[in-house]
Amino acid sequence: ALGKGSDLEKAFATVALVYNNAADPEGKLSKAETKSLLQTQFGGFIQGQENKPKYQEVISALDEESENKIDFEDFMILLVSLALMSDLLQEIKNVKTTK
């Protein structure tokens, strides 16, 4: 459906598909499933972030109250938060500015 879509549209569609494939019939993920999905699908962004206080805060929130579930909106907020604090994002910015 997005064969002619922009790069951003395709990227967002990919995020939605990955999330939906992992979500339960109600369209939600447990916090444990969310943590696992982030580790397997977003590893490049979270690698090396383990010692950062904000990263620890985000991950510990997923370890607490495991009966609570994450919806797509909350998942996207997590992705953006983790991407913004990532060293990989800085590397990507550096590539862009050095061209």
Side-chain angles (χ1 to χ4, degrees):
L2 285 175
K4 295 181 182 178
S6 71
D7 290 343
L8 284 176
E9 289 170 328
K10 290 175 186 176
F12 193 85
T14 299
V15 171
L17 284 170
V18 168
Y19 178 88
N20 286 336
N21 285 337
D24 66 16
E26 295 176 356
K28 295 186 177 186
L29 292 173
S30 72
K31 288 188 174 185
E33 291 167 328
T34 300
K35 184 177 177 181
S36 176
L37 188 61
L38 290 171
Q39 290 170 332
T40 60
Q41 293 289 325
F42 213 55
F45 279 90
I46 62 176
Q47 182 178 2
Q49 306 306 302
E50 296 85 3
N51 295 327
K52 290 185 177 180
K54 183 65 178 169
Y55 175 84
Q56 291 174 350
E57 180 183 321
V58 168
I59 296 304
S60 67
L62 293 176
D63 289 334
E64 296 170 4
E65 302 177 33
S66 58
E67 70 278 355
N68 290 346
K69 293 194 173 188
I70 303 285
D71 62 16
F72 183 69
E73 181 179 334
D74 291 335
F75 183 75
M76 289 302 295
I77 292 168
L78 281 173
L79 282 183
V80 171
S81 297
L82 292 170
L84 288 174
M85 73 177 79
S86 173
D87 294 335
L88 181 58
L89 183 62
Q90 189 57 49
E91 290 177 30
I92 292 167
K93 287 180 180 179
N94 290 340
V95 169
K96 181 182 175 223
T97 58
T98 57
K99 284 188 174 182

